[in-house]
Amino acid sequence: MRFRRGAGQGLVLHQARDDLPLRAVLEDAAMGRWEGPRDLIGATGADWDRRIFRLQVLARAGAGLRFADTWARAEPGSGDALALLAHVQAVRSVISGAGAGRAEMERAWATCLAAAEAVPADPSPWVVMLALLRVHAPGRNVLEQVWGEVVRRDPYNREAHHELLTYLFARNHGSGAEMFHWAQERADTAPRGLPIAVLPLVALAESHRHRMETDAASYGLSVHPWIDCPHIDPVLDGWWRHRGPLRHAQFTDDANYLAHALAFAGRHAEAHEVFEAIGPYASEVPWSYCGEPRGLFLRHRKWALRAVRDGRAPRHRAPRF
């Protein structure tokens, strides 16, 4: 079951999360106006993390609309317009699938190259290419080349790391062992305070989802990997306790992974601080991997508050799947 928009004790499920300028621009874009996206992306400047997030959200909204296409025609030399169009074309190709979306993929790839030429420092076209390779052309040689281009521009780009990790999921083109090894290696070598530290929790959640999907009978509904999880404390120390005062664009998504891990480990008092930082911005993943997401989020948030009010961590309860 997916989150329902607007449902659930003050939860805010808007795809723009807490990016209020982006929300306003989405309303403009929904009416076919491209000037709002142009001004917003231009104002974002070289904040690559925020730029990529805004381009991705606009692209999901624009896949069935024409505002990105219209902007690119109106300002054919604009690197911002080309970057958004590349994202939109990539979303369309993913929606169409590996076969039918091949022609759209080739258009997106060409647009990525044009965008990269227009704004050479921008990593976003190369991040789009990582997504295109995962769906349409999973050759490792090209993957390594594209990854190298991202790293040269923004070595700790959050979204690029998540794209490559997703490529390595067993359901895509890797294996559980390769996925965990890469996630742990990147987390161990990233500077302290960066959300790259969350990658092992992403891998753990995906491993649980995959095993429940492919081997639920032997895996067992009562078994989950967060009890005595060795990845939680490195995330607290590698990111949470040393993060900067400014939130990165997908802060709430990463914080949901941490709150979920702490909650399912029975560390409710520690989870309270994370839930407070998340506020109303619950994410479907990873909660949906363990049951009905809204109910799980609200239940564990309530337990976290109770643990703090009681001045102690509550006795561990087996999470309900």
Side-chain angles (χ1 to χ4, degrees):
M1 179 182 294
R2 294 182 177 274
F3 279 128
R4 298 187 303 278
R5 186 174 301 281
Q9 299 185 25
L11 298 185
V12 176
L13 309 174
H14 198 286
Q15 60 181 331
R17 298 289 193 264
D18 55 354
D19 192 329
L20 299 183
L22 177 57
R23 286 203 214 179
V25 166
L26 283 170
E27 294 178 5
D28 275 354
M31 292 182 281
R33 295 198 289 260
W34 55 267
E35 293 84 358
R38 176 195 61 191
D39 295 344
L40 180 68
I41 298 303
T44 308
D47 183 344
W48 305 129
D49 174 72
R50 181 68 57 178
R51 175 183 175 89
I52 290 172
F53 175 68
R54 287 174 166 174
L55 287 169
Q56 289 178 328
V57 174
L58 285 166
R60 289 194 290 271
L65 302 171
R66 307 305 299 177
F67 65 84
D69 309 76
T70 304
W71 178 16
R73 286 194 299 269
E75 298 183 354
S78 168
D80 292 345
L82 289 168
L84 178 57
L85 183 59
H87 278 77
V88 169
Q89 290 171 335
V91 172
R92 290 170 181 162
S93 76
V94 170
I95 291 172
S96 298
R102 181 72 189 192
E104 195 68 60
M105 177 267 188
E106 292 174 356
R107 282 192 290 273
W109 193 272
T111 306
C112 285
L113 293 175
E117 184 176 356
V119 187
D122 182 11
S124 71
W126 303 98
V127 176
V128 175
M129 290 181 183
L130 291 176
L132 291 170
L133 289 170
R134 170 169 50 85
V135 176
H136 296 287
R140 292 292 180 104
N141 290 338
V142 179
L143 180 76
E144 291 174 3
Q145 294 172 22
V146 172
W147 175 251
E149 296 291 346
V150 175
V151 169
R152 276 191 282 277
R153 289 162 174 81
D154 192 11
Y156 300 108
N157 184 276
R158 186 262 186 203
E159 193 58 26
H161 279 74
H162 280 257
E163 281 291 352
L164 190 50
L165 183 61
T166 304
Y167 179 100
L168 296 175
F169 286 175
R171 59 173 147 144
N172 292 323
H173 312 292
S175 66
E178 186 179 25
M179 170 186 70
F180 271 112
H181 176 79
W182 190 85
Q184 194 64 59
E185 180 182 57
R186 298 306 300 175
D188 289 345
T189 56
R192 182 175 284 181
L194 296 183
I196 303 303
V198 178
L199 290 174
L201 292 183
V202 178
L204 188 67
E206 169 60 19
S207 174
H208 175 76
R209 185 211 63 79
H210 183 70
R211 291 190 67 181
M212 289 296 293
E213 181 180 85
T214 61
D215 193 26
S218 60
Y219 186 39
L221 292 177
S222 62
V223 176
H224 71 84
W226 289 277
I227 294 296
D228 299 323
C229 173
H231 304 297
I232 296 175
D233 287 317
V235 175
L236 289 169
D237 189 54
W239 171 49
W240 188 257
R241 294 178 183 136
H242 300 278
R243 67 194 189 281
L246 297 178
R247 296 184 175 199
H248 64 282
Q250 299 207 57
F251 169 86
T252 56
D253 292 74
D254 291 329
N256 269 270
Y257 273 100
L258 179 55
H260 175 272
L262 286 166
F264 274 76
R267 297 167 62 170
H268 291 95
E270 294 173 87
H272 175 69
E273 179 188 359
V274 187
F275 278 114
E276 285 290 290
I278 292 170
Y281 301 104
S283 63
E284 181 179 346
V285 174
W287 301 97
S288 61
Y289 294 170
C290 298
E292 193 277 306
R294 185 180 69 89
L296 284 175
F297 180 89
L298 292 172
R299 185 184 311 145
H300 282 287
R301 187 176 69 177
K302 180 177 69 176
W303 289 351
L305 177 60
R306 182 187 302 159
V308 171
R309 286 177 174 172
D310 291 348
R312 59 181 177 82
R315 186 186 304 175
H316 172 68
R317 309 185 195 190
R320 299 175 188 174
F321 288 83

